[in-house]
Amino acid sequence: MDKYEALRKFFGHSAFREGQEEIVDNILGGRDCLCVMPTGAGKSLCYQVPALMMSGTSIVISPLISLMQWQVGDLIENGISAAYINSSLESSEYFDICRRAAAGELKIIYVAPERLETESFLRLCECLEIPLVAVDEAHCVSHWGQDFRPSYLKISYFIRSLKNRPTVAAFTATATDTVKSDIERLLELKSPFSITTGFDRPNLFYEVRTPESKDAELLSVIKSVSGAIVYCSTRKNVESVGAMLSRNGIKTAVYHAGFSADKRKAAQEDFLHDRADVIVATNAFGMGIDKSNVPLVVHYNVPKDLESYYQEAGRAGRDGSPARCIMLYSKSDIALAKFMIEHSHEELSLKEQSELKKRDHIRLKKMISYCEAKDCLRGEILRYFGEKAPRRCGHCGNCLSDYDDITLEAQKILSCVYRLKQRNKSEGLPVICSVLTGSRDRAIIEKGYNTLSTYGIMKESERVLQIAEHLVNEGYIELCGKDRLCALTSQADELIKSKGTVMMRLGKSQKKTADSKKHFPTENKELFEMLRELRRKTAESLGVPPYVVFSDASLWDMCSILPKNHDEFLQVSGVGTRKAERYGKKFLAVINEYSKKIGSHF
Ligand code: ADP
Ligand code: ZN
């Protein structure tokens, strides 16, 4: 069996994604790997495919118990013999797994890092052939990572204890150099093949909205999708937004750190199993949740930095199907975010606090510039993470919003700077704007600026300032010296002589919202809902989360292909032989009935 066959047959995917094939090849070639891939990029496949192809039992070290269970459930669903070993097992279950492993029946064993030190696990490994050890969430080995776990430091001892050194492949979504070099050193990787795939998530549609009523806006976007995570920055907001959605008939779970562990667990499970369509949560929600079919993430408040935003918004569309990330922005959020920074890190010394706060304020500023950006939002994110990005991605709220022709207004602003220069004066942007909008400010009158021909020729001061700033960004105006006085560039001279046009993206129009809809699958939405319900019931009877049965991407694909028989069903993305055998009949029955109904209309 080659890698393409493994990919198709077991996972039902037709092609590898960026980075996956190279990693698979390197692992198969026996080279250690250090892979940095953002959440949702498809890290698991990179070690699962080689594990299937190599003889022996591969070990996957993973820190999150619940995640491990679902992943193994997923593999078994796909017809791969896998098991997990962690503290949740009864001893009889544990011995059964040992027996099957020793008999060479298991291709993959997931294990929690704490287990690596136990005598019985080490003894089990002595009698196994282990071609590969994959380390998931490898940043946990580093003090600099977000979630350092001391037990990760034991991984290198464990690997050394094996009689034949396996290939070691480490995976993480954290890309800083310190963390990367810590992983390489502490896991003792041998001149690893190192790869960092892009941070771009092409299936995500980023959008910032500044509605008058956040609640009304939230309701209307939520009604158009089949599920969502809504992040709020305070517990109070979580509760009020949750209540608002429930009042409006939406099945909603709420989650924040103030609830008991039981209540949190129940909320998480309800969402995972599609019993609740929406979960409203603080940022405490997320770590350890691996739900791949989330079509929408809304931020009701501005998060503290773009790292958090990227990570939280990134929980949408992990299965690769189109998904939306909407920020509901209002200026009042800024004060809230600042307040939270001022009241953070209280456990540290004053000196440390003040340093961290300084850093946090800088990060918040960047977050706010994202919210206020007029240009491509994807570009804003990618450049923040140090990646190159095109000026326009064509698939975000800003790229789809309308351009305004601001040539005339630009000419007025530039002329004002020009007239001042004729009087041997130069001023900063605020004064220029005051002159243009005819301010009665004493300073303006005293300087005689009210006699300029450009005095009072424009109206809305906020818009004038926006355009003036845009002219600076686009290189028409230069800000000189520490007083940042305006000077015209040669580009500006051209424009004053009425050559060329200036475009700028302003405000958000209604049209854009309508446009963005066509970027989402709506084909046979009714069928999608029917399949979704069938999936929920099927999953419930098996006691697994729905996405383990089929991803949203697969359901949408069924809606567009409308497969008629088993062979056509196999063409659906994400459907391997095993899933086709297990579920094909039931799903085909619903699809066929739907097709007949549709057909009868023609
Ligand atoms: P990560 O661990 O990097 O966050 P996962 O391994 O959980 O991501 O994969 C995320 C989703 O992407 C899963 O639903 C998986 O089925 C899907 N996926 C992975 N590789 C491919 C591929 N080559 N083609 C299509 N879907 C894929
Ligand atoms: Zn864009």
Side-chain angles (χ1 to χ4, degrees), residues 479-485:
L479 298 178
C480 312
K482 71 172 190 338
D483 292 334
R484 301 172 69 72
L485 303 176

Side-chain angles (χ1 to χ4, degrees), residues 44-232:
S44 346
L45 214 93
C46 299
Y47 53 79
Q48 289 167 348
V49 168
L52 281 174
M53 294 170 63
M54 293 188 288
S55 72
T57 309
S58 294
I59 305 278
V60 180
I61 300 168
S62 169
L64 303 162
I65 292 184
S66 61
L67 219 103
M68 190 183 285
Q69 290 174 359
W70 304 132
Q71 267 173 342
V72 167
D74 218 355
L75 286 172
I76 295 172
E77 279 299 296
N78 282 323
I80 299 163
S81 57
Y84 60 86
I85 296 180
N86 62 31
S87 54
S88 75
L89 291 184
E90 307 272 331
S91 61
S92 63
E93 290 173 309
Y94 179 62
F95 288 120
D96 188 49
I97 289 169
C98 292
R99 187 191 52 72
R100 286 166 62 209
E105 286 173 22
L106 294 174
K107 289 310 289 179
I108 303 180
I109 298 178
Y110 278 71
V111 58
E114 295 75 26
R115 276 283 157 159
L116 300 175
E117 298 169 75
T118 63
E119 193 56 34
S120 71
F121 184 71
L122 290 173
R123 242 181 300 131
L124 170 66
C125 289
E126 266 170 33
C127 57
L128 294 182
E129 180 191 356
I130 302 175
L132 169 68
V133 170
V135 183
D136 209 359
E137 314 285 349
H139 58 275
C140 292
V141 80
S142 167
H143 284 282
W144 299 100
Q146 286 167 338
D147 5 72
F148 170 63
R149 288 182 183 237
S151 54
Y152 261 60
L153 293 171
K154 301 287 158 85
I155 294 176
S156 59
Y157 294 102
F158 165 70
I159 291 170
R160 266 187 265 143
S161 80
L162 300 171
K163 55 182 187 295
N164 296 311
R165 185 185 184 277
T167 304
V168 182
F171 296 85
T172 178
T174 312
T176 66
D177 288 337
T178 358
V179 173
K180 273 202 274 192
S181 68
D182 269 5
I183 294 175
E184 185 170 343
R185 185 169 54 88
L186 297 167
L187 294 182
E188 296 176 359
L189 302 180
K190 285 199 215 147
S191 56
F193 165 70
S194 179
I195 182 172
T196 302
T197 65
F199 272 75
D200 190 19
R201 301 271 310 276
N203 62 314
L204 298 187
F205 184 96
Y206 298 102
E207 203 177 337
V208 177
R209 298 189 186 184
T210 45
E212 291 207 344
S213 156
K214 286 191 183 186
D215 283 355
E217 191 79 9
L218 180 64
L219 255 179
S220 90
V221 287
I222 277 184
K223 282 188 173 154
S224 68
V225 292
S226 52
I229 302 175
V230 180
Y231 281 107
C232 300

Side-chain angles (χ1 to χ4, degrees), residues 494-599:
E494 295 287 302
L495 193 73
I496 296 180
K497 288 183 213 138
S498 51
K499 282 191 198 145
T501 48
V502 193
M503 305 293 281
M504 175 175 164
R505 234 168 264 128
L506 288 166
K508 323 268 164 183
S509 69
Q510 286 302 311
K511 183 161 169 279
K512 182 207 64 197
T513 320
D515 270 358
S516 69
K517 283 213 178 97
K518 69 173 182 266
H519 289 258
F520 295 92
T522 47
E523 220 172 343
N524 299 321
K525 179 111 196 331
E526 191 189 335
L527 175 60
F528 179 79
E529 289 304 330
M530 289 155 69
L531 296 176
R532 196 166 159 255
E533 182 55 22
L534 175 59
R535 176 180 69 178
R536 198 187 57 74
K537 282 197 193 131
T538 311
E540 199 170 65
S541 68
L542 297 169
V544 297
Y547 67 83
V548 167
V549 177
F550 286 124
S551 68
D552 277 12
S554 297
L555 296 190
W556 281 118
D557 214 32
M558 291 175 204
C559 294
S560 90
I561 298 179
L562 297 177
K564 286 188 279 300
N565 50 43
H566 185 79
D567 281 348
E568 288 181 12
F569 198 70
L570 275 171
Q571 302 302 312
V572 173
S573 150
V575 175
T577 35
R578 168 77 178 223
K579 284 195 179 177
E581 271 163 27
R582 275 196 100 162
Y583 309 120
K585 268 208 183 107
K586 273 196 203 166
F587 280 76
L588 278 168
V590 171
I591 296 167
N592 281 330
E593 195 177 317
Y594 175 83
S595 304
K596 253 192 247 149
K597 198 179 90 193
I598 294 286

